Amino acid sequence: MEGETAAKAAASSSSSPSRYESQKRRDWNTVLQYLKNHKPPLSLSRCSGAHVIEFLKYLDQFGKTKVHVLACPFFGEPDPPAQCTCPLRQAWGSLDALIGRLRAAFEEIGGGLPESNPFAAKAVRIYLKEVRETQAKARGIPYDKKKRKRPFTAKATPNVDGGEGSGGSGGAALVVASTMV
């Protein structure tokens, strides 16, 4: 009997959910509670990208990130020298991670086709992009898109042997470097 209890305890501790899985479950339960308390109450099947954005805006009241408004004297300053009355919001990175977890949770419960996932809606992606840009401007730190390296197409190099090599044309050899675009 004792060994059986110890085995169950060991099995339950080794199969406890990861921190990510626990957070995903909490987030999912929060969304379901929000939809239940929505006026009028919403079922998950009737939830759209607009409802997801509404949920993200609702979460702003619990945020801890100061986002300076355009009229604030500290707008665009990364390290403001004094306090201001600008609102606290959810940080873009937190919202982005939350949406990633909710998108995965929706897929795990078998919410339907990927196109029907309200957490993956184009409107949600656009909203997150706007939040990121707004917060970056308010802090004075631009989120520049990483520059793509230009594909390396062709480069003319002279022959090493001065054009007198075996079978060479005596001119410049064309070296082509292929890159994936």
Side-chain angles (χ1 to χ4, degrees), residues 11-18 22:
S12 69
S13 68
S14 67
S15 66
S16 63
S18 68
S22 297

Side-chain angles (χ1 to χ4, degrees), residues 45-154:
S45 61
R46 309 243 339 145
C47 183
S48 69
H51 295 115
V52 173
I53 293 171
E54 190 179 295
F55 171 69
L56 295 176
K57 288 179 179 179
Y58 158 78
L59 290 178
D60 270 343
Q61 67 184 312
F62 308 111
K64 296 176 186 156
T65 300
K66 176 90 53 172
V67 179
H68 300 288
V69 295
L70 197 55
C72 178
F74 305 129
F75 182 84
E77 287 194 36
D79 299 311
Q83 292 292 323
C84 65
T85 59
C86 292
L88 294 174
R89 301 269 161 94
Q90 289 288 340
W92 166 79
S94 299
L95 294 177
D96 189 49
L98 170 69
I99 289 300
R101 290 189 299 269
L102 293 174
R103 188 180 305 135
F106 183 87
E107 291 171 5
E108 285 175 12
I109 63 150
L113 297 171
E115 299 84 44
S116 68
N117 187 338
F119 305 102
K122 185 175 183 177
V124 174
R125 289 194 309 272
I126 291 170
Y127 176 76
L128 287 174
K129 182 179 178 186
E130 288 171 358
V131 168
R132 182 184 72 195
E133 290 170 355
T134 301
Q135 290 184 6
K137 285 178 187 170
R139 288 182 15 232
I141 302 169
Y143 270 104
D144 290 329
K145 204 172 190 181
K146 289 186 178 178
K147 303 272 189 230
R148 271 184 48 186
K149 291 183 179 177
R150 296 261 179 218
F152 189 60
T153 52

Side-chain angles (χ1 to χ4, degrees), residues 6-29:
K8 284 182 183 175
S12 69
S13 68
S14 67
S15 66
S16 63
S18 68
R19 186 170 178 251
Y20 170 80
E21 292 295 330
S22 297
Q23 185 65 52
K24 185 167 58 171
R25 179 169 297 272
R26 276 194 304 275
D27 294 339
W28 187 249
N29 289 336

